[in-house]
Amino acid sequence: MDWLPGAASSYAADLDRIFYVILAITGLIFVGVQVALVYFIIKYRGRKGRQASYVEGSTKAEVIWTVIPAVIIVGIAVASQTVWSEIKDPNHFPTDALEVNVEARQFAWAFTYPGADGELGTDDDYIRYNQMHVPVNRPVVFNLTSVDVVHSFFVPAFRIKQDAVPGMNLRAWFEATEVGEYELACAELCGVAHGLMKGKIIVLSEDEFQSWAAEQS
Amino acid sequence: MNEAITLPGGVTAEPGMRIYNQKLGMWIFLASEVMFFTGLIGAYIILRFGTTAWALPGVPLEEGGTPLAINLTAFNTFMLICSSVTMVKAFAAIEHGDQKGLRRYLVATVLLGAAFVGIQVVEYIALAHEGFLPRCSEELAAVVPNCDLFGSTFYTMTGFHGTHVSIGVLCMIWVTVKAFRGKYTKENHGGVEVIGLYWHFVDLVWIMLFTIVYLI
Amino acid sequence: MATAAAAAAPLADAHHEELSFIRKYIFSTDHKIIGIQFLFASLAFLVLGGVLAILLRWQLGFPGEELPGVGTVAPKFYNSLVTMHGTFMVFFAVMPLLVGVYANYLIPLKIGAPDMAFPRLNMLSFWMFIQSGIVMTASLFVEGGAAGSGWTAYAPLSAVPQYTGASLGQQLWILSIVLFGASSLLGSVNYITTVINMRAPGMTLFRMPLSVWALFITAIIALLAIPIIAAAVIMLFFDLTLGTTFFLPADGGQPLLWQHLFWFFGHPEVYILILPAMGIISDVIANGSRKPVFGYHSMVLAIIAIAFLGWITWGHHMFQSGMNPLLGTSFMISTMAIAVPSAIKVFNWLGTMWRGNIRFHTPMLWAIGFVSLFTVGGLSGIFMASNAVDIFIHDTYFIVAHIHYVLFGGSLMAIFAAVYFWFPKMFGRMMSETWGKIHFVLTFIFYNLTFFPMHILGMAGHMRRIYDPTQYEFLQPYQPMNRFITISAILLFVVQLPFIVNFFWSLFRGKKADINPWQDNGLEWTVPSPPPHGNFAMTPTVYRGPYEFSVPGAEADYMPQSVPPSGSQ
Amino acid sequence: MMETAEKKKQPSYMLIWFVLLVLTIVEVGVAYVSSLPRNVLIVVLVGLAIWKATLVAMYYMHLKFERLRLILLATAPLPLAIILIVAILLEHAR
C-alpha cells in the first residue's frame, strides 16, 4: 500500500499515518454500506404477493448511527489537530532553523539565502531561481510572499503546501530527511503557465551544503 | 381549520404566515438585502481594520482628515428620516381610509427621496472635483491615508444605497400615481404597505452606513 | 380522484384556448411550463459543460496532441476550459436542474397550490437565467478568450486582466453571475413564500414530502448566500473596470477577503447543489421500496442541520491559504460535524430499503446509484475535513474526485432519477424503461472508471488545473492512468446518447402515462398527466403524511395524501 | 418609549421621528467632539446606529406588532452576518 509519494520530511510520516487511519475507517464504512446495499437489493427485491413491512423508523437505531460517527469524527479531529499544529502553528516552528525568503511570481520561484552572516536582509544575501538548496536533517523556515497572484508552495515528497498570497508574509517550515532532488510545484491556479511553474528542492548533506553556500557568496 | 382569510391586497391566504404573499415576499427579499449589504459593509470593516491609518472626521484634511462633507450628509440623513415618517403617515392615513392624507404624504415622500438622491449627486460631483474618486488624485492621495481604499469602499457602499433609493423613488412614484387614481382603499392597500417596508429598510441601511462611513 | 381529473380537464382546456402559443409556451407564467423550460435550457448547458470537460480531459490524457477535428488545446484556452466547465456545471446545469426545474415544477403540485405565489416574477426569473446563460456562453467567443481564473475566480488573478490575459471574458463572467444571482433570488423569494403561505389545508410542515422540505431549505440557503457572491463579484467588477482596490494588495486591498466572501457563499452553494438531490432521492427510495422513509423527522432535522452547519464551515476551503491556524481548527471541527447528519441520511436510506419490497424501476436504479456513490463522496470528504491531511491533498485530484463524486455521482444521479420519475407527469408519456436501465448501467460503469482513479492520482500528489502533467517527473508514471481517465470520460459522454434519444423519442412517441404510473402518494399524482393550468380542479385537502406505503390492512400498497381516513367521508 | 409600546395599534410616529432626529444630532456631535478614546467612540456610535435602526424596524416597519414567526424570518440573516464579519476579523487579530 504505497499510494502516497515517497516521504522525505520529518513530519511526513505523521501526516501519512492519519491519512491511512482515515482510509482504513472510511474504507470499512464504504465496504459496509455497499455490502448492505447489495444485500438489501437482493434480499428485499420486489416479489408478487409480498408486502413491505410498515416501519417508520427506530429511535434506537438512529441514536446508534448518530453517536458512532460522532465519536469517530472526534477521534479523527483530535489526531489531525496535533499534526496540524506541528506543521502550521508558528508557535511550534523549530528555532535553530535555516531561514530563507521565498518569493513566488508568474511563473518562477526566487529563493533568497542569508549570506555568510547568517541573517536575511543584509547586503551579502544572494538569490537563486527555481532551485532551492537545503541541508538534510536541519529545519528550514521560509518566509513566503508573492509578487502578483496567489501561488502555492507544494512539495509532494515533503507533504508541505502553503499558499503564497501577495501582500502577506506567511511562514512555513520543513525538515528534509533524505538527500536527493525533489520537485516543487505551484498548486494554486496562477495564470497561463500555472502548470509549468515548477522548481527543484535539492537536499544536500550538511558538508555539501556548506561548500555550496560558500561558493555562492 | 379550513377558514380562508381575506387580507389587504385582496389575497386569500391559507394557514401559513397569515399575511398576504406580497408582504411576506417583501420581507423575504429584505432578508437577502441584509446579506447583500453585509457583504459590502463586511468588506469595508475588514479592509479598514486590515490597515493602520484611516481618514477621520473632525480632523483637518491636511492632517489626514476625511474629505467628506459631514454636515451636508447629516442634513441628508435628516431628510431620509423625514421621508420615513411621511411614508408611515401615508400608510396610517389609508388605514383610516383617508385618501387625501395618503396622497399628500406620498407626494412628500417622493419629494424627500428625490431630494436625497439629488444631494448625493451634488456631493459626488463636489468630491470628484476635489479629486476624491475610487482612484484618488495624487494631491489628495498624499494627505488622505489609504485614499484609494477609502474611495473604493465609499463609492461602492453609498452608490449601492443611492441606487436602492432611486429604485424606491421610482416605485413610489408609481404607487403615488395609483393613489391619485384612487386604487387604494381602507381595506385594500397592500401596495402602500409593501413599498413602505422597502422604503424603511433603505432608511435603516442608511442609518448604519452614515455612522460607519461618515462618523467612525 | 378520477372524477376530480375529469372535472379539471374541460376547465383547463377552456382556459388554454385563450392563450396564444407564445403566451402558453414561451412567456408563460405557469410554474409547470417554466419548470419544463428550465429543464430544456439546463440540459443544453449540461451538454455544453460536458463538451468542455472532454476538451480539457483530452489535453490531460494526450498533452499537446491534436484532438481529431478540433486541434490542440493551448494553455490559455485550457485555463478557460477549466473555468467554464466548472461555471457551467455548477451554475447553469446542476443548480437550475435541481432548483429551477424541480422547485418550480414540484413545490406547487406537491403542496396543493394552484401556482407559485408570484407567477410573473417566476417568468422573469427564467428569462434572467436565459440572459445570464447567453452572456456566459458569449464570453467563450470574445477577444482575449473566456475567463481563465477558475470558477472560484481567486483575486488578484481575476482582478487584473494582464494576469490571465482575459479582460472582456472575465467581465462577462461577472455580469453573467450577477444576472444569474438575481434570477436565483427571485426564484428563492417565490419558493419560500409559496411553501410558507400556499400549502393546501391539512398540509402541515411535517406532512410535506422530503423533496419539498429540501427545496424549501435550499431556497433559504440561496436567498442568504447569493447576495454575498453578488456583492463580491460586483467589487471584483469595480476592481477590473473602475479602478477600485478591494482585492489589489499593492493599494491596500486584501486577496484573502475575496476568498472569505467567495467561500462564505461557495460552501452553502455546495449544499444548494446536494440538498434537493437528497430530498428527491428520499421520495424515490420510499416509492421504490414501498415503505415509509425511515426516520422522517430526523431526515428533516438532518437537512436543517446540514444547511446550518454549511454556513460555518467555509474556511475548510482555505486551510492552506494563510488563514489564521487557530481559525483552521474551529473550521475543521464544524466541517467534521457535517459528517454526522450526512451519515444519518445514508443510514436512513438503507433503513428505508430494509424489509421493503423493492421495485427496480429506472428512477429507483438511479436512486440506488446515488446512495452508493454519494457514500464515496461523503467519505472522501472526511480526508479534506482533517486539516492535517488537507495539507497534502488540497488542490490535488483527490479534491476533483471528491467534488465529482458528490456533484455527478450525487446530484446528477438524483437529477436523472427525477427526470425519469416525473417525466410522465410533465409530458404525459412514459420514457422507455429498457433504455433508461441501459443508460443507468453504462453511466454507472463509465462514471466510476472516470472518477475513481482520480483518487489515486490525488494520493500521488497530482495537482489540479495543471496543463501538462508530464512536465513533472513524479507524475509521469501516472500518465497511463490519465489517458485511461480521458478515454473513460469520452465514453461516459457518449453513453448519454441513449438518454437524449430516449428523452426526445418519448416526448412524442412514448407510451401514454396514466395519472399515477409509479403508484406514489404525492398530490401531484392525483391530477392528470400533464396537469392542467391551475393544477387542481378544487383545492385538495391533505389527511396524511407523504410516505404511507404498505399500510397494514390497506387494499393497495400506497395511499395518496388526499385520501381521507377510513370511516370518515 | 413606554407609552408608544402600550398603544399597540397606533404608535406615535412623530415621537419616533423626534427620537431619531435627536439621536442623529447626538451622533454627529459625538463624532466631532473626539475627546473620547477611538475605541469607545466607535462602540458608542455603532450602538446609537443600532438603536436607531431598531426603532425604524420595530415601529415604522411594524415588526413589533407582527407574529413571532415573521420576526424570526426577518432577523434570520443577522446571525449569519455576525458570523461572517467576526470570523474574518479574527483573521486580523493575529
Side-chain angles (χ1 to χ4, degrees):
Chain A
M1 281 232 304
D2 209 18
W3 286 333
L4 301 168
S9 76
S10 58
Y11 47 62
D14 297 337
L15 193 148
D16 292 1
R17 195 174 312 116
I18 297 188
F19 182 90
Y20 285 121
V21 166
I22 298 179
L23 187 63
I25 294 171
T26 54
L28 215 64
I29 300 171
F30 166 72
V31 171
V33 168
Q34 306 296 344
V35 166
L37 198 57
V38 171
Y39 176 73
F40 288 173
I41 288 172
I42 296 165
K43 176 98 197 276
Y44 302 115
R45 66 186 183 279
R47 272 159 293 179
K48 280 231 159 60
R50 213 177 130 264
Q51 212 187 10
S53 314
Y54 186 79
V55 185
E56 284 191 89
S58 150
T59 316
K60 204 170 129 197
E62 289 188 69
V63 169
I64 291 173
W65 61 56
T66 308
V67 170
I68 292 180
V71 171
I72 294 174
I73 288 305
V74 169
I76 294 175
V78 170
S80 303
Q81 180 54 32
T82 320
V83 179
W84 166 257
S85 65
E86 177 190 357
I87 302 177
K88 291 276 178 163
D89 189 345
N91 301 323
H92 294 170
F93 281 9
T95 43
D96 56 337
L98 169 70
E99 283 230 11
V100 182
N101 284 346
V102 180
E103 192 183 69
R105 64 171 68 236
Q106 285 183 329
F107 297 95
W109 301 94
F111 305 98
T112 310
Y113 287 85
D117 60 357
E119 273 182 50
L120 283 164
T122 49
D123 284 341
D124 63 346
D125 292 358
Y126 52 89
I127 302 178
R128 290 293 167 270
Y129 292 97
N130 292 337
Q131 289 204 338
M132 186 185 196
H133 291 74
V134 293
V136 72
N137 291 331
R138 197 167 119 202
V140 179
V141 173
F142 54 98
N143 307 302
L144 192 55
T145 55
S146 166
V147 181
D148 35 45
V149 302
V150 179
H151 300 275
S152 192
F153 183 97
F154 178 36
V155 186
F158 293 172
R159 311 287 189 269
I160 179 66
K161 186 180 286 129
Q162 175 61 55
D163 283 6
V165 183
M168 285 176 88
N169 182 16
L170 298 162
R171 285 160 65 79
W173 75 282
F174 62 82
E175 181 183 331
T177 51
E178 273 177 63
V179 172
E181 289 190 6
Y182 302 95
E183 282 180 299
L184 158 69
C186 176
E188 192 70 72
L189 181 64
C190 64
V192 176
H194 161 60
L196 308 175
M197 184 170 165
K198 54 177 188 166
K200 272 227 152 62
I201 311 283
I202 298 161
V203 181
L204 306 166
S205 68
E206 187 68 43
D207 293 345
E208 280 175 317
F209 179 75
Q210 291 304 342
S211 55
W212 174 84
E215 275 171 39
Q216 310 300 316
S217 28
Chain B
M1 186 163 151
N2 202 357
E3 94 245 45
I5 321 137
T6 309
L7 291 151
V11 179
T12 321
E14 289 301 335
M17 204 60 102
R18 289 189 198 264
I19 54 175
Y20 54 101
N21 287 344
Q22 282 79 354
K23 185 174 163 189
L24 179 60
M26 178 51 83
W27 271 109
I28 293 169
F29 173 71
L30 292 183
S32 86
E33 286 277 41
V34 170
M35 290 312 279
F36 180 76
F37 281 103
T38 298
L40 295 182
I41 296 174
Y44 167 79
I45 293 175
I46 286 141
L47 288 170
R48 174 149 180 199
F49 278 81
T51 61
T52 43
W54 203 262
L56 301 174
V59 179
L61 188 61
E62 303 76 47
E63 294 165 28
T66 172
L68 307 174
I70 294 178
N71 292 338
L72 178 70
T73 313
F75 174 69
N76 223 4
T77 309
F78 167 71
M79 296 231 301
L80 206 57
I81 291 175
C82 289
S83 81
S84 239
V85 80
T86 54
M87 181 68 236
V88 82
K89 281 278 187 190
F91 174 65
I94 193 64
E95 267 192 322
H96 294 104
D98 174 6
Q99 294 283 348
K100 217 170 168 188
L102 171 73
R103 286 168 202 167
R104 198 185 305 142
Y105 280 119
L106 277 180
V107 169
T109 312
V110 168
L111 291 178
L112 285 166
F116 176 88
V117 177
I119 291 182
Q120 206 177 19
V121 170
V122 169
E123 181 198 16
Y124 275 17
I125 292 171
L127 285 173
H129 273 292
E130 269 183 72
F132 183 71
L133 286 163
R135 282 276 172 164
C136 296
S137 69
E138 273 175 36
E139 304 86 71
L140 207 60
V143 286
V144 177
N146 279 307
C147 195
D148 289 344
L149 215 48
F150 192 5
S152 303
T153 50
F154 169 79
Y155 280 106
T156 307
M157 283 190 289
T158 56
F160 267 100
H161 179 266
T163 314
H164 277 79
V165 180
S166 309
I167 291 168
V169 169
L170 292 179
C171 297
M172 193 72 75
I173 290 173
W174 186 56
V175 170
T176 311
V177 169
K178 276 181 83 175
F180 272 93
R181 289 192 184 159
K183 300 276 184 191
Y184 298 110
T185 60
K186 191 173 173 181
E187 293 77 29
N188 181 354
H189 52 263
V192 179
E193 187 176 13
V194 170
I195 185 73
L197 283 176
Y198 176 83
W199 193 257
H200 297 309
F201 174 77
V202 172
D203 183 23
L204 187 155
V205 169
W206 183 254
I207 286 171
M208 298 307 292
L209 281 184
F210 176 61
T211 304
I212 291 173
V213 178
Y214 287 84
L215 297 183
I216 287 182
Chain C
M1 273 185 314
T3 45
L11 190 138
D13 283 347
H15 197 85
H16 273 190
E17 275 164 32
E18 297 164 16
L19 298 173
S20 66
F21 179 83
I22 287 186
R23 286 288 307 280
K24 191 175 160 194
Y25 292 114
I26 311 291
F27 294 105
S28 173
T29 55
D30 181 355
H31 73 102
K32 298 183 292 297
I33 300 292
I34 293 171
I36 289 166
Q37 287 174 324
F38 263 114
L39 180 64
F40 282 105
S42 42
L43 281 177
F45 286 125
L46 184 67
V47 173
L48 177 58
V51 170
L52 298 174
I54 297 304
L55 288 175
L56 78 88
R57 255 338 297 184
W58 177 265
Q59 166 60 25
L60 287 169
F62 305 91
E65 286 179 42
E66 197 170 316
L67 177 62
V70 180
T72 53
V73 176
K76 186 154 171 281
F77 183 53
Y78 176 82
N79 283 354
S80 297
L81 285 175
V82 170
T83 306
M84 300 311 273
H85 167 66
T87 307
F88 272 114
M89 285 307 196
V90 168
F91 293 110
F92 295 95
V94 174
M95 197 169 158
L97 272 171
L98 285 169
V99 180
V101 180
Y102 289 101
N104 259 316
Y105 197 85
L106 293 181
I107 287 177
L109 277 170
K110 273 188 170 293
I111 64 173
D115 204 323
M116 284 287 175
F118 309 113
R120 271 177 295 177
L121 277 191
N122 208 11
M123 178 180 81
L124 185 64
S125 160
F126 172 73
W127 285 104
M128 285 177 94
F129 170 73
I130 290 297
Q131 267 183 317
S132 85
I134 290 171
V135 171
M136 192 61 87
T137 312
S139 84
L140 284 166
F141 302 102
V142 296
E143 203 186 325
S149 51
W151 82 278
T152 51
Y154 271 18
L157 182 64
S158 53
V160 179
Q162 292 86 298
Y163 289 157
T164 57
S167 173
L168 188 55
Q170 188 74 49
Q171 291 175 25
L172 290 177
W173 186 88
I174 293 170
L175 182 65
S176 170
I177 295 295
V178 171
L179 280 169
F180 175 83
S183 151
S184 295
L185 264 184
L186 292 179
S188 297
V189 170
N190 225 335
Y191 308 142
I192 297 171
T193 311
T194 308
V195 171
I196 291 179
N197 249 8
M198 297 185 61
R199 279 169 288 129
M203 180 61 89
T204 58
L205 283 176
F206 284 102
R207 277 184 185 164
M208 294 201 305
L210 285 171
S211 53
V212 176
W213 258 112
L215 289 164
F216 176 53
I217 299 293
T218 303
I220 295 176
I221 304 178
L223 180 85
L224 300 178
I226 283 173
I228 297 286
I229 188 71
V233 294
I234 285 168
M235 286 187 260
L236 184 62
F237 190 76
F238 289 165
D239 272 8
L240 272 169
T241 54
L242 296 184
T244 60
T245 59
F246 290 104
F247 307 119
L248 303 176
D251 304 297
Q254 291 189 14
L256 277 197
L257 173 62
W258 168 267
Q259 296 185 23
H260 277 295
L261 290 177
F262 182 86
W263 288 116
F264 190 76
F265 148 81
H267 201 74
E269 166 75 16
V270 174
Y271 294 109
I272 295 174
L273 299 173
I274 193 69
L275 282 180
M278 290 175 163
I280 286 168
I281 287 306
S282 303
D283 278 15
V284 173
I285 287 190
N287 175 286
S289 308
R290 316 307 294 166
K291 260 190 70 193
V293 163
F294 196 89
Y296 170 84
H297 282 84
S298 56
M299 291 296 257
V300 172
L301 289 180
I303 292 173
I304 295 171
I306 292 175
F308 176 72
L309 288 172
W311 286 103
I312 51 173
T313 56
W314 78 91
H316 66 231
H317 297 268
M318 297 173 62
F319 281 148
Q320 318 312 331
S321 70
M323 189 175 68
N324 190 338
L326 299 176
L327 219 52
T329 307
S330 41
F331 279 126
M332 167 175 71
I333 294 163
S334 54
T335 307
M336 291 263 181
I338 290 194
V340 175
S342 309
I344 293 174
K345 295 203 82 86
V346 170
F347 291 132
N348 279 358
W349 287 320
L350 287 176
T352 308
M353 288 168 67
W354 171 68
R355 293 175 64 188
N357 191 31
I358 303 171
R359 294 183 185 173
F360 296 103
H361 47 55
T362 309
M364 184 63 180
L365 292 182
W366 288 100
I368 293 169
F370 173 96
V371 175
S372 168
L373 299 179
F374 175 76
T375 307
V376 180
L379 290 172
S380 65
I382 295 178
F383 288 82
M384 55 231 46
S386 156
N387 49 14
V389 174
D390 185 75
I391 296 173
F392 179 62
I393 59 176
H394 183 73
D395 272 332
T396 65
Y397 260 76
F398 203 87
I399 309 284
V400 179
H402 168 71
I403 55 171
H404 285 93
Y405 263 88
V406 177
L407 291 187
F408 193 142
S411 307
L412 214 54
M413 290 269 162
I415 288 166
F416 281 128
V419 170
Y420 284 100
F421 195 70
W422 281 290
F423 189 92
K425 188 51 65 184
M426 283 180 157
F427 302 107
R429 289 175 187 272
M430 304 294 290
M431 281 178 85
S432 159
E433 279 284 293
T434 315
W435 281 103
K437 284 170 185 166
I438 291 171
H439 175 213
F440 168 73
V441 170
L442 291 175
T443 305
F444 191 82
I445 292 170
F446 287 114
Y447 168 79
N448 280 299
L449 292 182
T450 305
F451 294 106
F452 200 81
M454 288 187 185
H455 290 111
I456 298 165
L457 286 183
M459 290 182 207
H462 192 310
M463 292 76 72
R464 65 191 287 200
R465 292 168 167 176
I466 53 168
Y467 173 66
D468 183 355
T470 60
Q471 292 291 319
Y472 290 90
E473 271 167 45
F474 75 100
L475 293 178
Q476 277 163 8
Y478 291 90
Q479 195 51 26
M481 191 177 275
N482 253 327
R483 195 158 299 171
F484 176 80
I485 292 175
T486 297
I487 292 166
S488 306
I490 293 171
L491 289 172
L492 177 62
F493 187 77
V494 170
V495 299
Q496 303 311 307
L497 205 64
F499 169 72
I500 297 172
V501 173
N502 189 356
F503 187 92
F504 284 102
W505 189 85
S506 306
L507 212 50
F508 301 105
R509 292 284 158 80
K511 197 175 91 191
K512 286 259 189 222
D514 56 10
I515 283 184
N516 193 358
W518 310 113
Q519 302 182 313
D520 198 52
N521 294 344
L523 291 179
E524 79 271 32
W525 303 107
T526 62
V527 290
S529 311
H533 197 92
N535 298 345
F536 299 92
M538 51 189 286
T539 309
T541 309
V542 176
Y543 296 99
R544 53 188 73 243
Y547 301 117
E548 305 221 340
F549 290 104
S550 305
V551 179
E555 230 170 84
D557 67 351
Y558 67 106
M559 196 169 281
Q561 289 186 272
S562 54
V563 173
S566 53
S568 73
Q569 238 351 345
Chain D
M1 297 303 303
M2 294 311 280
E3 300 91 16
T4 52
E6 278 163 24
K7 286 191 264 167
K8 266 223 146 194
K9 271 286 129 191
Q10 272 298 323
S12 168
Y13 296 127
M14 291 313 285
L15 179 64
I16 303 291
W17 171 78
F18 185 70
V19 175
L20 288 173
L21 182 61
V22 169
L23 287 178
T24 307
I25 293 168
V26 170
E27 271 190 322
V28 176
V30 169
Y32 272 119
V33 185
S34 337
S35 59
L36 286 166
R38 209 65 225 130
N39 293 342
V40 179
L41 189 74
I42 289 176
V43 172
V44 169
L45 285 173
V46 171
L48 286 171
I50 290 173
W51 186 3
K52 283 163 70 185
T54 313
L55 283 179
V56 172
M58 283 302 202
Y59 293 97
Y60 287 175
M61 295 171 91
H62 305 109
L63 207 50
K64 199 173 165 66
F65 313 104
E66 298 286 359
R67 292 157 65 87
L68 180 65
R69 281 187 221 173
L70 186 66
I71 296 174
L72 288 178
L73 185 121
T75 51
L78 295 180
L80 299 177
I82 292 166
I83 288 172
L84 174 69
I85 292 176
V86 169
I88 310 180
L89 273 179
L90 280 179
E91 177 90 359
H92 295 284
R94 228 195 291 201

